[in-house]
Amino acid sequence: MTALVLKSPRRQKAASKEPFLNRRRLRYALWSALALWVTWMISVILGPVISTGHVDMAGQRIGNDLSHFYAAGLTVRTGNAEKLYDIGYQFALQAKIIGTTETGFSAFLTPPFHALTYVPLTYLSYPVAFIVLSAVGLALFWLALKLIGADMKKSLPWALSFFPVFATVSFGQNAFLSMAILAGTYALWRARKLVLAGLLLSCILYKPQLALGVAGLWTLQWRKDWRALAGLAAGAGVFSAICFVFMPEASRSYMTFSQDVLPKLVLWSEPSVWHMHTVRNFFELLVGYGMLANILAALVGLGAIAGFIRYRMAFAANPAMTYAGAIVLTMLITPHGLVYDWIVLLIPALLLWQERPADRPFLTQIYAALWIVIWFAGPLTSGQLYFSDHVLQISVPVLLVAVAKMWRHLLNPPAPESANATLDAQPAAA
């Protein structure tokens, strides 16, 4: 009977070497994500049955941000483009679309040309438009993973368990498009189709802050990537022409809106506060809105840029590594980024996974930390806001520590003996 209970010394020794993030523990993430997706879908399906309007069981509008995209597309389609940034008009239109005025307001914040993207959806009812948007978005997500070269069988379940992916679908957001553009840009740039890479990157200018890292990378190595910069400039010119030639009044309204409203966005849009995960927002929540927060964010940004320059020098011959660093840099210096925008971090995560197989146990620890913190950072921030105006948001400091540790590890790899030992300890779930 004792033999049935006790392990042999060899098995005990093997068990002691098993990494903490073993296959069984890692699968908790998949089960947690599955529970989240299923619960949300039940809420969405039953919400309209027990409530008034297109809302879920919690009373939140289905595809919250789709409501302002849908309203923007309808505004353009009905010939009222000059009212894209008229908050009163948009509020009334969204209330009509959703079927209730009790779910607040979601503002259209992007340049006028982006509203054209949503015009086709306005020919569908709002619930059908949400289903179509989700389906197209998930198709773009799959395409982005393929363009990066991910092993779909192994990578797709883990990618779907990342909270920003869920947030993109449930919020009705456009982050799948952003990820597909950045992934496609990488594929074209790596194939040295530079003009096309620049033109494609210009398509993300509805959120220009997401182009900062890649544009910075191309600028640093402008001698070999100047054609990509030329393509980016040409694309930006085309979109500017679309706005000012075909939507002049909307463009002028956007210029005023971006100067008067966007800088104060977090002061009147509470969800943008606790769903926002940027260095600048971290300091604004911690020390208050003002010059000090801006100075601290600028110092961190300068440090990130300096670190990226050193990183690029070390990996100048490896496009996958440099592009991964450029995307990470984007998330460290962007002035505006919400939870769903973190989806683009899947690009460097997958690129590093492919390029650094010996570092996978280390990367697993980093990915697990970021996976966990982005799940809980928003609710924890929201809870703190009930008690104080000074809040410690946990997502950004964890991201900064994770990036610093990765930077140090990649630029100062372990000795060969340590690397071999790390390979032996690689989790089976990888």
Side-chain angles (χ1 to χ4, degrees):
M1 290 294 292
T2 304
L4 295 177
V5 177
L6 297 178
K7 295 180 180 180
S8 68
R10 180 178 295 181
R11 293 187 63 187
Q12 287 180 331
K13 185 177 181 180
S16 66
K17 290 183 177 181
E18 185 179 28
F20 177 77
L21 293 175
N22 55 33
R23 178 181 296 181
R24 175 174 56 84
R25 291 191 176 100
L26 287 171
R27 283 182 175 172
Y28 292 156
L30 298 180
W31 287 112
S32 300
L34 179 62
L36 177 65
W37 280 96
V38 171
T39 303
W40 169 74
M41 285 190 285
I42 292 173
S43 177
V44 168
I45 293 171
L46 297 182
V49 176
I50 64 177
S51 304
T52 301
H54 303 307
V55 297
D56 59 21
M57 292 179 66
Q60 302 295 317
R61 59 179 70 183
I62 296 172
N64 181 73
D65 291 353
L66 174 60
S67 62
H68 74 248
F69 291 133
Y70 190 96
L74 190 60
T75 300
V76 173
R77 178 186 151 197
T78 54
N80 296 302
E82 71 279 0
K83 297 182 179 179
L84 275 174
Y85 306 99
D86 183 328
I87 293 178
Y89 178 86
Q90 293 297 319
F91 178 84
L93 185 56
Q94 288 179 34
K96 181 178 179 181
I97 292 168
I98 299 299
T100 177
T101 60
E102 299 178 359
T103 58
F105 171 69
S106 181
F108 181 71
L109 307 176
T110 50
F113 71 83
H114 193 52
L116 299 173
T117 309
Y118 294 91
V119 170
L121 289 179
T122 63
Y123 290 94
L124 307 172
S125 66
Y126 184 81
V128 175
F130 177 65
I131 293 172
V132 170
L133 178 70
S134 300
V136 172
L138 288 170
L140 288 171
F141 182 58
W142 179 89
L143 176 63
L145 296 178
K146 291 291 288 185
L147 289 170
I148 299 168
D151 182 335
M152 300 301 290
K153 184 177 179 180
K154 294 182 179 179
S155 300
L156 185 59
W158 293 106
L160 288 172
S161 76
F162 192 40
F163 184 78
V165 176
F166 167 79
T168 299
V169 175
S170 60
F171 284 28
Q173 256 293 335
N174 52 23
F176 289 135
L177 177 60
S178 302
M179 183 177 175
I181 291 172
L182 290 172
T185 298
Y186 167 71
L188 290 170
W189 174 69
R190 183 157 191 171
R192 305 309 293 167
K193 298 178 180 179
L194 300 182
V195 175
L196 290 177
L199 287 170
L200 181 57
L201 184 62
S202 71
C203 295
I204 209 171
L205 292 180
Y206 57 86
K207 289 185 176 180
Q209 69 273 15
L210 295 183
L212 290 175
V214 177
L217 171 63
W218 292 347
T219 301
L220 286 173
Q221 48 194 43
W222 63 270
R223 285 184 175 85
K224 65 177 182 179
D225 285 338
W226 66 269
R227 287 178 294 171
L229 290 171
L232 175 60
V238 169
F239 285 115
S240 296
I242 290 173
C243 288
F244 287 99
V245 174
F246 299 101
M247 309 172 74
E249 294 183 2
S251 299
R252 286 192 290 270
S253 296
Y254 178 71
M255 296 297 291
T256 302
F257 182 82
S258 62
Q259 293 174 7
D260 298 341
V261 178
L262 288 184
K264 304 174 183 178
L265 177 64
V266 296
L267 299 179
W268 61 271
S269 182
E270 187 269 342
S272 293
V273 174
W274 64 277
H275 281 310
M276 193 174 292
H277 302 268
T278 66
V279 172
R280 178 184 176 187
N281 182 243
F282 167 76
F283 285 118
E284 287 175 338
L285 288 171
L286 188 63
V287 303
Y289 300 92
M291 183 63 69
L292 179 58
N294 291 332
I295 292 174
L296 292 173
L299 290 174
V300 172
L302 290 173
I305 293 171
F308 175 70
I309 292 173
R310 171 69 180 85
Y311 172 90
R312 191 203 69 84
M313 291 173 62
F315 295 103
N318 190 323
M321 295 294 289
T322 54
Y323 198 86
I327 300 299
V328 172
L329 175 65
T330 296
M331 300 312 296
L332 296 182
I333 65 175
T334 179
H336 183 82
L338 278 79
V339 60
Y340 39 77
D341 292 317
W342 272 42
I343 194 176
V344 302
L345 288 176
L346 288 173
I347 295 175
L350 289 165
L351 291 177
L352 289 172
W353 193 263
Q354 296 163 16
E355 295 295 316
R356 309 285 291 198
D359 291 325
R360 286 179 180 177
F362 170 77
L363 293 174
T364 298
Q365 298 174 44
I366 297 295
Y367 296 172
L370 293 175
W371 187 97
I372 292 171
V373 75
I374 199 62
W375 264 62
F376 299 105
L380 287 174
T381 301
S382 179
Q384 291 178 72
L385 285 169
Y386 278 104
F387 303 101
S388 175
D389 292 332
H390 298 282
V391 172
L392 177 63
Q393 184 195 59
I394 63 172
S395 59
V396 171
V398 171
L399 176 62
L400 290 173
V401 171
V403 170
K405 290 179 73 68
M406 289 177 64
W407 184 89
R408 182 177 180 182
H409 182 89
L410 293 172
L411 269 63
N412 301 280
E417 294 80 8
S418 301
N420 292 334
T422 304
L423 273 174
D424 293 336
Q426 182 176 329

